Amino acid sequence: MQHTDIIIKNGYIVTINPEMDILENGALAIEKGKILEIGNTEEIEKNYTSDKVIDASSKIVMPGLINGHSHIAMTYLRGYADDLLLHSWLEDYIWPAEARFVKAQFVYDAAYHACAELIKNGITMINDMYFYSKETAQAATKTGMRAILGEGILDFPMAFHKTPDSMINYAVEGHKEFKDNELIDFSIMPHSIYTCSRKTLITAAETARAHNMLIHTHLSETQKEVDDCLKNHGMRPVNYLNSIGFLGNDVSLAHGVWIDNNEQKLLAEKDVGVNICTECNLKLSSGFAPIKGYKENGVTISLATDGVASNNNLSILDEMDMTSKVHKAINNDPTFLPAEDVVRMVTIEPAKIFNKEDEVGSLEVGKKADIILLERNKLENMPMYNVYSHLVYTMHSESVQDVIINGKVLMQGRKLTGIDEDELFEKAKYYQRELQKD
Ligand SMILES: [Zn+2]
């Protein structure tokens, strides 16, 4: 008998392993933040004991959801400005508010609130771009959230930065300071091709590669961005990035709405993944990502919420439902994007995009213990014939009961174990009052 940190038993385990195995009455043994063993409950109970045994009798047990693109420190701007054109939303509301309010403490508080909210949504890893990202790293560490973080890189001054080099160097510093932190991975995140010059983009990519850091940027969110790129560089955005040596398997893109067939082929060839933000693109009427083309051309794709200022929530389960239905409708094909594929787009596919498929994205021996449990015993979740259908079309974040990240139980029975929610309400109200003063 071996003693382990946690045992989860009697669960309906959705592994997302290469065989897509499902274990009814399955169990997991967790030790030192990793999955030590996975099998049927009888076997695991024969070989392991633990002081912490979670009975998952009525639960779906699955890998934690991955949010491929976010700006979590924008939490306090939730609902601050809606129903506007993208440029007006940014230029008249969001950027001026950010210029006044975005300080280290604001970012820490908002990111802390967001991490609590992410856990409640069953999200166990984010890929997040913002300013003062070391503050976000502190908040993620404190709450136990796994995060790939980057300082937004722009050609104009932002937060305390005067130059894009300052933004790039800040991320490299973060990479060094947090290198022993198991939850945090700093990366290089130029904001976009319309806010970064060619020189900035090249420096960003070269710096990332010199330090073995991932690269992430917004690309082709709107048709205007493509038109401007054609006017300024004589090429479409993916071809432009390729021409400056930017693309590689260390790169991921957010949005990728206006990407043509040749660009899709190039992304597949360069092994560049795309994180699709369906609800945000719908709300801002940016268009529909060419998911069918991506799949036909072999581009790895994942789902993401983007920031709550534009979403206005952090529910990946909502993104799954919406993406599936919208793309069935626009392709006039109800067989397109089956539920099983959609579940992969929030687990193993983003893990591949971020080159972390050996660590997260599925429940397999040796991987990090990033695990969520969803309740089946609810009127609205009964009965259940197909677990993937349930996850995409039936369940909402309220069904997420327990969340484990890196082997730590962060939520149990929908109660956050290390976070005082009342305190977060008070802080949110405080910032609301401050923002309303303007
Ligand atoms: Zn974004």
Side-chain angles (χ1 to χ4, degrees):
M1 275 295 227
Q2 188 181 340
H3 196 269
T4 61
D5 294 337
I6 305 173
I7 291 174
I8 301 173
K9 63 174 191 178
N10 304 325
Y12 190 93
I13 301 187
V14 179
T15 63
I16 319 290
N17 68 10
E19 293 75 34
M20 295 296 278
D21 285 329
I22 288 175
L23 309 176
E24 290 185 46
N25 193 28
L28 290 145
I30 297 164
E31 177 73 3
K32 293 196 172 71
K34 289 187 176 167
I35 299 170
L36 180 64
E37 193 66 72
I38 179 165
N40 71 45
T41 298
E42 238 168 60
E43 267 169 45
I44 298 288
E45 281 190 318
K46 216 179 330 168
N47 297 326
Y48 300 96
T49 58
S50 179
D51 300 333
K52 177 100 190 144
V53 178
I54 299 172
D55 183 8
S57 292
S58 59
K59 312 276 199 321
I60 295 165
V61 181
M62 68 176 292
L65 308 174
I66 299 174
N67 189 350
H69 176 77
S70 61
H71 312 280
I72 63 166
M74 295 179 85
T75 297
Y76 293 140
L77 297 173
R78 183 195 329 265
Y80 181 68
D82 296 308
D83 308 327
L84 295 163
L85 294 171
L86 177 63
H87 70 89
S88 165
W89 178 74
L90 279 173
E91 290 165 21
D92 301 332
Y93 294 88
I94 299 300
W95 286 343
E98 287 183 326
R100 284 197 301 277
F101 288 96
V102 175
K103 305 263 163 27
Q105 190 65 44
F106 178 96
V107 169
Y108 180 86
D109 289 341
Y112 194 96
H113 179 121
C115 285
E117 191 182 335
L118 288 162
I119 295 166
K120 293 210 122 177
N121 281 286
I123 294 165
T124 56
M125 187 172 102
I126 55 167
N127 176 54
D128 195 85
M129 177 196 292
Y130 209 60
F131 310 102
Y132 294 98
S133 45
K134 284 191 232 171
E135 297 295 327
T136 307
Q138 298 290 2
T141 303
K142 185 86 193 299
T143 53
M145 178 57 52
R146 193 180 300 288
I148 302 168
L149 300 171
E151 191 76 354
I153 299 163
L154 307 156
D155 275 343
F156 47 88
M158 185 49 126
F160 56 95
H161 299 292
K162 301 275 179 284
T163 64
D165 282 345
S166 158
M167 299 157 184
I168 293 171
N169 292 338
Y170 180 96
V172 174
E173 268 171 42
H175 178 65
K176 289 177 183 161
E177 284 170 31
F178 287 84
K179 74 173 187 324
D180 295 326
N181 184 320
E182 280 191 49
L183 295 171
I184 306 298
D185 182 10
F186 265 88
S187 69
I188 296 286
M189 299 196 181
H191 176 267
S192 64
I193 58 168
Y194 57 91
T195 51
C196 292
S197 67
R198 178 192 168 94
K199 179 169 168 286
T200 300
L201 291 168
I202 291 172
T203 308
E206 284 176 350
T207 307
R209 281 161 191 154
H211 293 92
N212 199 19
M213 295 164 78
L214 293 170
I215 304 168
H216 179 69
T217 190
H218 296 101
L219 195 79
S220 298
E221 179 175 359
T222 62
Q223 192 155 29
K224 180 178 183 320
E225 182 183 336
V226 178
D227 294 343
D228 289 348
C229 187
L230 281 164
K231 204 159 60 192
N232 297 331
H233 307 290
M235 287 175 260
R236 294 180 65 88
V238 173
N239 301 100
Y240 168 57
L241 286 181
N242 191 44
S243 75
I244 60 171
F246 190 92
L247 301 180
N249 76 346
D250 45 5
V251 175
S252 67
L253 307 174
H255 297 297
V257 175
W258 298 93
I259 305 269
D260 74 12
N261 192 52
N262 287 328
E263 290 178 292
Q264 291 163 24
K265 285 193 165 63
L266 189 51
L267 291 178
E269 187 190 308
K270 295 283 176 182
D271 196 13
V272 174
V274 182
N275 306 295
I276 294 162
C277 309
T278 306
E279 290 196 343
C280 172
N281 295 151
L282 287 170
K283 184 153 169 277
L284 288 160
S285 302
S286 304
F288 306 96
I291 291 184
K292 194 158 204 176
Y294 284 144
K295 288 186 86 72
E296 282 166 1
N297 286 306
V299 179
T300 311
I301 50 176
S302 84
L303 299 181
T305 59
D306 209 347
V308 294
S310 55
N311 186 295
N312 301 358
N313 62 57
L314 290 172
S315 170
I316 281 289
L317 287 164
D318 281 6
E319 293 293 329
M320 292 157 71
D321 185 42
M322 183 69 82
T323 304
S324 171
K325 287 170 183 166
V326 164
H327 288 269
K328 287 177 200 311
I330 61 173
N331 289 293
N332 193 23
D333 178 4
T335 68
F336 180 62
L337 219 50
E340 189 173 321
D341 287 11
V342 178
V343 175
R344 291 178 60 89
M345 285 164 71
V346 297
T347 51
I348 194 66
E349 302 302 327
K352 287 181 193 165
I353 288 177
F354 301 118
N355 298 340
K356 295 188 189 301
E357 69 268 37
D358 294 335
E359 296 171 45
V360 295
S362 63
L363 301 182
E364 293 178 81
V365 171
K367 283 201 177 184
K368 310 267 191 199
D370 290 6
I371 302 168
I372 63 171
L373 280 66
L374 298 101
E375 180 64 62
R376 295 163 62 189
N377 277 358
K378 282 169 162 263
L379 280 181
E380 64 270 31
N381 293 343
M382 294 283 249
M384 181 177 95
Y385 301 104
N386 178 303
V387 70
Y388 301 114
S389 148
H390 240 53
L391 290 166
V392 178
Y393 307 121
T394 299
M395 288 181 149
H396 297 283
S397 291
E398 289 69 29
S399 295
V400 179
Q401 290 294 307
D402 307 285
V403 174
I404 298 170
I405 302 180
N406 214 35
K408 254 188 99 179
V409 179
L410 303 181
M411 184 166 82
Q412 206 163 6
R414 271 204 87 61
K415 203 161 165 35
L416 297 169
T417 56
I419 298 170
D420 181 347
E421 283 190 55
D422 290 334
E423 216 172 273
L424 296 182
F425 297 158
E426 290 312 311
K427 280 222 168 85
K429 283 188 231 162
Y430 164 77
Y431 282 109
Q432 180 187 334
R433 284 194 298 272
E434 290 300 305
L435 275 143
Q436 275 172 332
K437 277 183 194 165
D438 286 85

